[in-house]
Amino acid sequence: MLYFAAARERTGQAREALDVPEGAHVRDVLRLLTEKHPALAPLLPHLRVAVDQEFVGPDSPVREGAEVALIPPVAGGSPGRFLVVDRPLRLDEVVEAVSGEAYGGLVTFSGSVRNQTKGRRVLRLEYEAYAPMAEKKLAEIGAEAAAQWPGVRLSIIHRVGTLHPGELAVVIAAAAPHRKEAFRGCEHAIERLKQDVPIWKKEFFEDGEVWVGLGP
């Protein structure tokens, strides 16, 4: 295991060996790490995992002798505020990203998968994104809101991969010194998200499937 920046501070070391069971995946490694280093748990939503110097998701296998690294957000931009991720979402992630003593108003939005569309029962959705561009566009939406309503601070996290009814697809938080600007900032984020951010959705029904926007 390799640790950098905040992850190194939480574990108190730059590297260590970790015994994992045969056939383990990244999510198993993270579970073992939080048991061994409880202080890491609050950081996990903000970290990326690399196995043998390649970024991977939670379902990726971890071979014996693999080099696994916990990668905090790199310097620059607004780390952790505008993300595309392939893991379950928590609303408190975006709330924590924008909260502060200067912000008296806080408005949130949680978008979850519906169990039906136009009378057809939804089995699951599959989200796909051009992640680097999507995160850039999400940050641009945040900048737009701050320019239009000075003092507004946004955080948007969108999930990709396979989601089932009831699971969160996107979480948004808007904070501002006053409630009116917070409401407007949150609404702006929701509407702009649908327009220019390269994230695509495919719906799977009992009797077929369709990419949203390309089907009937």
Side-chain angles (χ1 to χ4, degrees):
M1 294 297 309
L2 301 180
Y3 306 109
F4 302 94
R8 183 186 66 252
E9 292 176 350
R10 295 295 179 96
T11 61
Q13 55 196 326
R15 64 174 61 226
E16 69 173 329
L18 182 70
D19 291 326
V20 298
E22 184 176 351
H25 294 76
V26 167
R27 67 173 70 256
D28 302 313
V29 173
L30 295 179
R31 177 179 54 78
L32 291 171
L33 283 177
T34 54
E35 291 174 357
K36 187 173 184 179
H37 303 290
L40 273 177
L43 283 184
L44 289 184
H46 309 290
L47 301 179
R48 300 177 72 184
V49 179
V51 176
D52 294 326
Q53 302 184 11
E54 295 289 341
F55 285 117
V56 297
D59 296 323
S60 296
V62 178
R63 65 173 179 81
E64 182 178 358
E67 179 183 271
V68 180
L70 297 188
I71 312 293
V74 297
S78 302
R81 286 177 54 200
F82 305 101
L83 298 173
V84 174
V85 300
D86 62 351
R87 55 168 174 75
L89 303 180
R90 295 182 297 106
L91 184 61
D92 60 0
E93 295 180 68
V94 288
V95 171
E96 291 171 0
V98 300
S99 295
E101 293 182 357
Y103 302 96
L106 177 66
V107 176
T108 65
F109 172 79
S110 300
S112 60
V113 177
R114 296 190 304 269
N115 64 2
Q116 63 83 32
T117 297
K118 297 180 181 178
R120 304 171 74 187
R121 189 165 78 90
V122 175
L123 301 179
R124 69 183 187 278
L125 299 185
E126 289 186 2
Y127 282 92
E128 181 179 327
Y130 180 11
M133 182 178 176
E135 292 184 346
K136 179 181 177 181
K137 292 297 181 182
L138 293 176
E140 288 177 3
I141 292 171
E144 292 170 3
Q148 191 163 349
W149 300 283
V152 168
R153 180 177 170 90
L154 286 179
S155 180
I156 309 169
I157 304 180
H158 204 295
R159 185 178 173 184
V160 294
T162 300
L163 284 75
H164 296 91
E167 292 189 289
L168 291 174
V170 62
V171 287
I172 301 172
H178 304 287
R179 66 180 184 276
K180 182 166 66 175
E181 288 77 12
F183 274 106
R184 290 181 175 175
C186 189
E187 183 178 27
H188 177 79
I190 296 165
E191 296 304 321
R192 290 286 286 113
L193 177 64
K194 301 176 182 177
Q195 297 171 1
D196 292 334
V197 181
I199 298 175
W200 305 277
K201 178 173 67 176
K202 191 174 189 179
E203 293 183 306
F204 289 80
F205 308 100
E206 294 175 306
D207 58 351
E209 60 193 53
V210 63
W211 285 102
V212 174
L214 297 180

